[in-house]
Amino acid sequence: MAEGLSLKNITKRFGNFTALNHVSFDIKPGEFVTLLGPSGCGKTTLLRIIAGFLEPDEGEVWFGDQKMNDVPPHKRNTAMCFQSYALFPHKTVYENIRFGLRMRKVPASQHRALVEEAMAMVNLTGLENRKPYELSGGQQQRVALARSVVVRPNILLFDEPLSNLDAKLREKVRVEIRDLQRKLGITAIYVTHDQSEALAISDTIISMNQGAIIQKSDPRTIYDRPVSKFIADFIGTANLVPCTVTRQQGSLFQVQSPYGMLLAEDKDFPHDSGEYYLCIRPEDVRPVLDGEPAGEDNILEGVVKNSIYMGNTLDLFARVQTEPLRASVWKDYHIEEGTRIRFAVPRSKIRILEG
Amino acid sequence: MEKEFSAQLTRKLLRYLVPFAIIVILIAWIGVPMAYCFLWSAVDPDYPWSYPDPLPQKLSLFHWRYILENTNILGAVGSSFFIAGCTTILSFLLALPTSYALGRRQLKGAGFFKTLMLLPLVLPGMAMAIFLGRMLMKMGLSGTYTGVILAHTLMGVPYMMRILVVSFESVPQDLVDAASNLGATAFTRFAEVYFPMVLPGLVAGSIFTFINSMEEFNLTFIIGLPTVKTIPTVLFSYLGESFARTRASVVSLILLIPNLTLLLITERFIKTEYMGAALGKM
Ligand SMILES: Nc1ncnc2c1ncn2[C@@H]1O[C@H](COP(=O)(O)OP(=O)(O)OP(=O)(O)O)[C@@H](O)[C@H]1O
Ligand SMILES: [Mg+2]
């Protein structure tokens, strides 16, 4: 059964270091939420508080309409996939995965089928009788993953569950996790460093920094309309430069920046003028060939310093005036290093952000 | 080519030389004295073994028979084992919960207690023995097995705790959390996570306590006499009264039996698998 989750004003200190600072959010039943943030920002700490291993110094944890602060971990019906794997070293792979089923009094007759299903899901079939120290790092991680999903809890907590897998396997397991979570309607909180993984897997992304939540939105919004320079920088790549902004009319702004004078259309920006940052995604920059009309788009003129063929795109590192500009363009362009070139950036693709 | 050959030669030499050296040292250190011990124990009293003879002229079991008939050495071996066994079990029962508390719970003053529990180890053995002997006499436990076992336990518990506290401390918190996360109660966490992980420490501590008790002289002597006799007290009184190399050899060889048994048990218990399990590959 899916269960929603609410955190209300959670604060956690270690000594006089504040690891979590008044964190609040709600998660709907069956929602897949990703916590995304730099190392040390408090993601694991937050999961540990939800699972009940740590007590918050302030604030409340609610599962559905029940307050959980005083409920011990073994009665919370969450299952966590640990960043450190935390496999029982003296138990075999099979016994590790079965542990939760035994503890939750699932009838013994179902154990084998459930364990085997979970093992197949993470490509572990055949390793039942190994001990954890006889497995590679990635295999250990998959055991940890299987051990958490096999119990089908109300809330699944994943702490970087795929960090040690190769790209192919990561993608396969990611899809399987998502399918299982959808099929069973489990609420999931998923921690990752990997922003593309976060964008691919989540209903909602919660972006954190230094123990606080910066933005909570769906993947498209967080990528296209980041609320701060930090998020624009952390999720995806971005050209970020300081600028002076003046509102012209409606949502049209005049932006004085190192790239020159630009026009930007930003419906979310609340201020009329001041010193801010402008953000241009590399994939929103397009080369304008000679004679090609640019329409209303901003034109930035520069020199290509590096041109790197990535297979799916061509990445250009150019210099506009004195400022570096990164552009990710169609792979079939042949643009040599040293070329003088004009770039077009649509007004609506320039975003103005607070620092 | 040449270099490679000589490197290979060195490796080969090392591979054979090192074990060879170890064997030579072992023979010199243990084998030779043991052989002498055997020979001495089997010297016939009518044909004494003296200087220029490389070997005794005649061998007999005279001294063996004498010792077995005239002293209760087998009884002493039995009571040594009994006392050591009881001491180990009692120390185990006392040390397990206290070590858990000291190693896992954030107790106030845990550091102080950890130091305190080492105190019996630093006091001079004789002083401890006299002081404890007094106390146990007042309690009417002088000359009883209970008294000796209690005294040995007092000495054994600190060793046991020292090892166990460290074992408990080194169980990763994530493992315990994982167990409770999956639904394990406190009891199951202890039985299925802590216990297997501190088992090597437990075995090591038990063996240590057992051997310590087997070898304890001061306490046994002061508290146990005249009723309770263990191997060391018998050996000591024997050697003290009339030192004879032949008979001492017999006694030493008899005393070897329990030690060898213990060694074999230890060997079976401390398997590398346990160690691997405890350290894991986290
Ligand atoms: N038991 C503790 N005592 C003191 N400080 C702690 C403790 N646990 C965590 N911290 C600190 O709290 C902060 C958040 O830690 P946390 O493990 O939640 O980070 P994280 O976001 O999971 O990082 P990572 O992505 O590297 O896993 C870190 O700065 C860490 O040093
Ligand atoms: Mg973490």
Side-chain angles (χ1 to χ4, degrees):
Chain A
M1 259 311 293
E3 203 167 36
L5 171 89
S6 302
L7 298 187
K8 297 182 179 162
N9 260 315
I10 298 285
T11 295
K12 179 72 196 172
R13 294 182 202 91
F14 295 112
N16 49 18
F17 172 78
T18 306
L20 293 174
N21 195 2
H22 297 286
V23 169
S24 306
F25 57 75
D26 296 314
I27 296 177
K28 292 195 286 288
E31 196 175 352
F32 198 112
V33 175
T34 300
L35 295 179
L36 188 61
S39 182
C41 72
K43 305 181 295 291
T44 300
T45 306
L46 197 56
L47 289 195
R48 295 173 64 80
I49 285 175
I50 295 171
F53 314 140
L54 277 180
E55 274 185 41
D57 294 316
E58 287 166 39
E60 295 174 1
V61 179
W62 290 73
F63 290 181
D65 49 14
Q66 195 190 353
K67 185 174 165 193
M68 301 304 281
N69 286 47
D70 298 324
V71 179
H74 66 276
K75 298 208 173 119
R76 289 200 182 188
N77 198 14
T78 66
M80 177 145 162
C81 178
F82 286 73
Q83 193 171 14
S84 64
Y85 316 154
L87 301 179
F88 305 122
H90 46 278
K91 292 188 194 292
T92 60
V93 167
Y94 183 82
E95 282 302 325
N96 261 286
I97 299 175
R98 193 168 78 109
F99 188 81
L101 299 176
R102 275 171 50 220
M103 295 302 121
R104 287 161 194 243
K105 308 258 176 344
V106 174
S109 57
Q110 300 175 20
H111 289 186
R112 183 153 283 278
L114 286 169
V115 172
E116 275 169 5
E117 184 193 359
M119 288 184 70
M121 170 177 157
V122 294
N123 283 16
L124 273 180
T125 309
L127 298 181
E128 287 85 347
N129 296 320
R130 299 266 192 98
K131 293 276 180 66
Y133 57 88
E134 297 167 327
L135 300 176
S136 74
Q139 289 168 334
Q140 293 181 31
Q141 186 164 42
R142 284 179 276 153
V143 176
L145 189 57
R147 186 178 67 177
S148 61
V149 296
V150 79
V151 297
R152 303 173 174 193
N154 289 347
I155 298 175
L156 260 168
L157 305 169
F158 297 104
D159 202 347
E160 303 191 30
L162 309 179
S163 58
N164 245 327
L165 307 187
D166 62 76
K168 275 266 168 347
L169 192 56
R170 187 183 303 200
E171 210 163 293
K172 171 196 184 267
V173 176
R174 188 172 77 194
V175 172
E176 301 235 21
I177 289 179
R178 189 65 163 123
D179 284 350
L180 183 83
Q181 178 265 344
R182 278 216 183 97
K183 192 175 85 194
L184 302 174
I186 297 173
T187 307
I189 304 181
Y190 188 100
V191 168
T192 177
H193 273 133
D194 181 342
Q195 34 103 4
S196 61
E197 190 166 286
L199 293 169
I201 203 171
S202 327
D203 294 318
T204 304
I205 295 178
I206 295 179
S207 168
M208 293 178 65
N209 192 25
Q210 298 183 350
I213 291 182
I214 313 290
Q215 185 170 4
K216 173 176 184 281
S217 11
D218 62 292
R220 210 174 270 276
T221 311
I222 209 163
Y223 189 83
D224 280 343
R225 292 158 54 200
V227 298
S228 78
K229 177 170 169 270
F230 168 80
I231 292 177
D233 203 21
F234 193 76
I235 300 178
T237 42
N239 296 291
L240 284 163
V241 291
C243 64
T244 310
V245 177
T246 332
R247 190 186 290 269
Q248 294 228 311
Q249 65 194 37
S251 55
L252 191 65
F253 294 86
Q254 191 182 53
V255 182
Q256 180 61 51
S257 78
Y259 294 138
M261 182 71 81
L262 307 174
L263 286 175
E265 181 116 33
D266 188 339
K267 293 192 188 67
D268 299 323
F269 192 69
H271 307 287
D272 282 337
S273 63
E275 305 280 325
Y276 298 99
Y277 288 88
L278 76 76
C279 162
I280 302 171
R281 295 282 186 198
E283 62 273 18
D284 292 330
V285 181
R286 123 185 100 79
V288 186
L289 303 183
D290 286 338
E292 209 177 310
E296 280 201 318
D297 295 351
N298 295 288
I299 294 294
L300 284 65
E301 219 174 290
V303 180
V304 176
K305 292 288 179 194
N306 281 300
S307 167
I308 298 170
Y309 181 69
M310 300 294 290
N312 55 346
T313 59
L314 179 71
D315 281 5
L316 302 175
F317 294 81
R319 193 162 284 277
V320 173
Q321 317 241 6
T322 57
E323 202 61 30
L325 177 77
R326 192 168 163 175
S328 193
V329 306
W330 188 37
K331 67 187 174 65
D332 285 351
Y333 278 116
H334 286 275
I335 298 173
E336 310 270 304
E337 288 166 10
T339 316
R340 276 206 77 81
I341 193 169
R342 294 190 308 152
F343 293 108
V345 181
R347 290 177 183 181
S348 59
K349 297 293 184 186
I350 297 182
R351 223 178 136 72
I352 306 164
L353 299 173
E354 303 189 40
Chain B
M1 205 60 211
E2 183 120 309
K3 227 186 215 161
E4 197 170 306
F5 179 74
S6 75
Q8 214 169 14
L9 197 68
T10 322
R11 256 205 305 278
K12 223 174 223 166
L13 271 181
L14 271 182
R15 190 146 75 213
Y16 292 106
L17 265 185
V18 170
F20 182 71
I22 292 177
I23 288 172
V24 168
I25 291 172
L26 277 182
I27 288 179
W29 203 346
I30 297 173
V32 172
M34 285 285 296
Y36 266 94
C37 212
F38 258 111
L39 289 175
W40 272 112
S41 75
V43 168
D44 192 298
D46 294 337
Y47 299 85
W49 185 18
S50 54
Y51 171 58
D53 304 342
L55 290 171
Q57 290 170 356
K58 190 166 181 289
L59 298 179
S60 83
L61 289 177
F62 175 84
H63 293 294
W64 285 87
R65 229 175 287 127
Y66 178 87
I67 294 278
L68 291 181
E69 279 164 11
N70 290 288
T71 64
N72 187 13
I73 186 142
L74 292 183
V77 169
S79 54
S80 269
F81 263 92
F82 174 71
I83 291 170
C86 291
T87 301
T88 308
I89 293 172
L90 199 59
S91 307
F92 167 89
L93 291 178
L94 287 174
L96 197 63
T98 34
S99 309
Y100 169 76
L102 280 180
R104 290 315 293 194
R105 302 268 144 174
Q106 263 82 46
L107 292 185
K108 273 224 173 83
F112 173 71
F113 282 116
K114 280 185 226 170
T115 316
L116 194 69
M117 87 195 180
L118 294 180
L119 216 53
L121 304 184
V122 298
L123 290 179
M126 213 31 165
M128 272 294 284
I130 291 169
F131 160 74
L132 257 181
R134 266 297 167 89
M135 215 174 80
L136 290 172
M137 189 148 75
K138 287 250 163 73
M139 295 162 68
L141 291 173
S142 242
T144 65
Y145 277 91
T146 319
V148 174
I149 291 170
L150 280 181
H152 282 200
T153 303
L154 196 72
M155 297 303 287
V157 164
Y159 280 110
M160 193 83 114
M161 281 180 68
R162 175 130 189 90
I163 299 176
L164 277 184
V165 167
V166 174
S167 302
F168 272 112
E169 277 172 347
S170 57
V171 176
Q173 182 61 38
D174 273 0
L175 276 190
V176 184
D177 288 344
S180 50
N181 179 242
L182 291 167
T185 57
F187 177 79
T188 322
R189 289 201 292 276
F190 196 87
E192 297 209 25
V193 180
Y194 283 121
F195 191 77
M197 295 203 65
V198 300
L199 192 58
L202 210 52
V203 173
S206 301
I207 288 165
F208 220 76
T209 313
F210 196 91
I211 291 176
N212 255 357
S213 164
M214 294 283 281
E215 297 195 331
E216 175 62 52
F217 172 75
N218 297 333
L219 288 173
T220 321
F221 190 75
I222 290 184
I223 295 161
L225 285 184
T227 19
V228 182
K229 287 187 177 159
T230 62
I231 301 170
T233 57
V234 168
L235 183 61
F236 233 78
S237 53
Y238 202 79
L239 293 181
E241 269 165 32
S242 54
F243 179 77
R245 200 174 285 179
T246 46
R247 288 180 191 161
S249 296
V250 175
V251 174
S252 310
L253 285 174
I254 293 177
L255 295 187
L256 208 60
I257 300 168
N259 287 4
L260 278 181
T261 333
L262 213 61
L263 194 73
L264 291 179
I265 297 175
T266 321
E267 199 56 30
R268 284 197 64 86
F269 256 104
I270 304 194
K271 280 210 203 115
T272 38
E273 196 184 329
Y274 278 129
M275 292 305 178
L279 303 172
K281 200 166 93 182
M282 311 269 12

